[in-house]
Amino acid sequence: MKNRRVVITGLGVMAPNGTNVSKFKESIINGTSGIRGVEELKNLKFSCQIAGLPNYNENYLNNYFNKIQLRGLKASGMEYGVIAGMDAWKDAGLCINDSEVPLWDAGVIFGTGILGVDKFREAIYKVDEGNVRRLGSTTVIQTMASGISAFLGGMLGCGNVVTTNSSACSTGTEAILMAYDRIAAGNAEIILAGSTSDSGPYVWGGFDAMRILPYKYNDNPTKASRPMSATASGFVPGSGAGALVVESLDSAQKRGAKIYAEILGGHVNSGGQRNGGSMTAPNSEAVQQCIKNAINTSGIHANDIDAINGHLTATTKDPTEIKNWCEALDRKETDFPYINSLKSLVGHCLAASGSIESVATILQINEGFIFGNINCEDLHPEIQSQINRDRVPTKTFDFSANIIAKASFGFGDVNACVIFKKYNSI
């Protein structure tokens, strides 16, 4: 059976530089960074005392949680994911299912790397103090990894797949492709797909200990995240959530839904931690294979790609990623597509990065622009030897991209690449 066409009909985001799609779009167009100093990290003597995390008032949660749900809520990833997910659902013109019958054709695939770290810490102290009975009834759902998908699935009344995936930095992109595969095969009509990541010192401490976070920009936070730059010195930790309503074209047309873009296909693989791949480094052969397979399954040619939203973390691996794109596409210098990295504006949002960056990618297709890479005026010489300087824009400009490739590469040597296309009814 030929795969059905799959489209995006709703977007939601909780990003360091925008807590809704409108603010987020304005920020990425204007090059507004969401990275700032975090006093708690300074007090805890972190080397890197800055981060990208969504900024909102606690009262904002009243728009998404009732009083019972808010009681004892202490899981930032849960908050981010629910807000982004519910916003995407509403943006798609979908209603909350208030009947006793689940939506059999609607599901949730919402990934995370870790959930409820602060709640778990609170629980540990209470247990150690002998106060286990004071843990509260919501501790389990706030600390189990699948809590975010279960929470959203229950709020929306979804009766199809409701699950959480976890593949480090490729989690969000993988979740979108899992939704695509299920809908394309005819096993669902609508899936809320996305990912979320907790914020705070207990999430970011391990990376600070690895000395892969920048420490020279504590007094100048917005200059710290420098993907593809010669002066890049590590990734800035970030957090948040991104959400997309992935839907069959048939369903979207029947509802008269707005369509942001189409998903042509994609691919997920692993380098097996062989041939230079490890827990923290990619196997370049696998990265290239992932990109090539994504192109093949999408039914396009490498020359059809107008732009790339890369993983590009502001580490020593950025030149390697550019080289892998050049090899996989067999394109370089002036023939190379435009490429950007959202991490220059929000930092590395870990498990949430793929979904937040996919929202940015889809906005570029739908609104007709390519956002600029800030802090990249000094392009890395190894990158400049492979592609032309103008392929890495530092300012946003109008551009009608037809096809954009979005890729994520994660710890554990795992890869995911999705191909988005401007929607055409033909």
Side-chain angles (χ1 to χ4, degrees):
M1 184 183 78
K2 184 178 179 181
N3 281 350
R4 301 191 300 167
R5 292 176 69 182
V6 179
V7 295
I8 305 296
T9 56
L11 299 175
V13 72
M14 276 292 283
N17 63 347
T19 54
N20 59 50
V21 171
S22 178
K23 291 178 181 178
F24 178 65
K25 182 181 73 174
E26 181 181 354
S27 291
I28 63 175
I29 288 175
N30 294 330
T32 304
S33 173
I35 297 169
R36 62 184 187 273
V38 180
E39 192 69 20
E40 185 179 16
L41 301 183
K42 182 178 180 180
N43 295 337
L44 292 171
K45 297 180 171 58
F46 272 54
S47 295
C48 177
Q49 299 167 8
I50 59 176
L53 65 164
N55 186 21
Y56 57 97
N57 190 293
E58 280 192 15
N59 291 333
Y60 190 58
L61 298 176
N62 293 324
N63 298 316
Y64 300 89
F65 299 87
N66 60 40
K67 290 182 179 179
I68 295 175
Q69 293 167 337
L70 283 171
R71 191 179 301 157
L73 181 62
K74 197 173 185 179
S76 55
M78 180 74 80
E79 294 176 13
Y80 303 152
V82 168
I83 293 172
M86 297 300 286
D87 280 357
W89 195 259
K90 181 179 179 181
D91 183 49
L94 295 164
C95 299
I96 304 297
N97 177 25
D98 55 6
S99 79
E100 289 298 309
V101 181
L103 300 170
W104 301 119
D105 289 327
V108 179
I109 301 177
F110 221 90
T112 188
I114 192 167
L115 193 71
V117 173
D118 288 332
K119 188 67 178 180
F120 194 66
R121 178 177 181 269
E122 178 185 84
I124 289 172
Y125 276 105
K126 286 184 178 180
V127 170
D128 286 348
E129 292 166 358
N131 291 321
V132 66
R133 294 184 181 277
R134 298 184 63 186
L135 287 180
S137 60
T138 63
T139 297
V140 172
I141 195 168
Q142 288 187 60
T143 56
M144 68 182 192
S146 60
I148 179 60
S149 57
F151 204 96
L152 283 166
M155 292 177 82
L156 301 174
C158 295
N160 205 275
V161 61
V162 174
T163 191
T164 292
N165 66 306
S166 186
S167 296
C169 311
S170 64
T171 297
T173 306
E174 180 185 77
I176 295 166
L177 286 171
M178 290 171 68
Y180 166 82
D181 286 342
R182 190 169 184 86
I183 293 171
N187 295 320
E189 294 297 330
I190 300 171
I191 293 181
L192 177 63
S195 61
T196 188
S197 181
D198 270 15
S199 60
Y202 307 109
V203 178
W204 302 328
F207 298 109
D208 198 72
M210 292 172 70
R211 300 182 180 180
I212 56 176
L213 309 185
Y215 60 88
K216 296 179 180 179
Y217 297 90
N218 290 336
D219 295 327
N220 199 1
T222 61
K223 295 293 184 182
S225 187
R226 312 181 66 81
M228 296 181 282
S229 165
T231 50
S233 57
F235 74 79
V236 175
S239 60
L244 302 84
V245 173
V246 184
E247 186 168 1
S248 73
L249 178 59
D250 290 342
S251 173
Q253 288 177 330
K254 286 177 183 177
R255 294 196 305 111
K258 174 181 178 178
I259 296 175
Y260 283 97
E262 183 170 0
I263 302 175
L264 294 183
H267 191 69
V268 175
N269 76 356
S270 170
Q273 299 179 42
R274 302 292 192 273
N275 192 27
S278 67
M279 279 299 295
T280 58
N283 173 342
S284 288
E285 183 181 359
V287 169
Q288 294 173 30
Q289 193 68 39
C290 182
I291 296 167
K292 290 177 181 178
N293 286 355
I295 291 169
N296 290 337
T297 61
S298 298
I300 63 171
H301 301 288
N303 287 336
D304 295 327
I305 294 175
D306 299 307
I308 297 165
N309 183 250
H311 188 58
L312 299 163
T313 57
T315 63
T316 57
K317 294 299 180 182
D318 284 5
T320 302
E321 180 176 336
I322 297 298
K323 183 178 180 181
N324 286 332
W325 281 107
C326 288
E327 294 289 335
L329 301 179
D330 192 24
R331 297 174 63 182
K332 56 184 62 176
E333 298 175 348
T334 58
D335 184 47
F336 195 77
Y338 292 111
I339 188 164
N340 53 21
S341 172
L342 187 70
K343 294 178 181 69
S344 66
L345 298 170
V346 301
H348 190 345
C349 295
L350 305 176
S353 61
S355 57
I356 295 174
E357 292 163 13
S358 288
V359 172
T361 302
I362 291 163
L363 286 173
Q364 289 182 105
I365 290 176
N366 187 254
E367 302 286 340
F369 68 91
I370 298 292
F371 70 81
N373 301 277
I374 68 169
N375 305 324
C376 192
E377 291 75 16
D378 59 336
L379 186 64
H380 196 290
E382 288 184 38
I383 294 176
Q384 197 154 353
S385 69
Q386 301 174 74
I387 62 177
N388 269 39
R389 163 74 261 194
D390 70 345
R391 302 292 92 183
V392 186
T394 57
K395 300 289 185 181
T396 299
F397 65 97
D398 293 338
F399 183 77
S400 183
N402 188 46
I403 295 176
I404 301 182
K406 163 72 209 136
S408 301
F409 312 116
F411 271 21
D413 198 10
V414 292
N415 313 301
C417 181
V418 59
I419 308 296
F420 295 112
K421 181 181 181 296
K422 184 187 293 290
Y423 170 66
N424 188 316
S425 59
I426 300 175

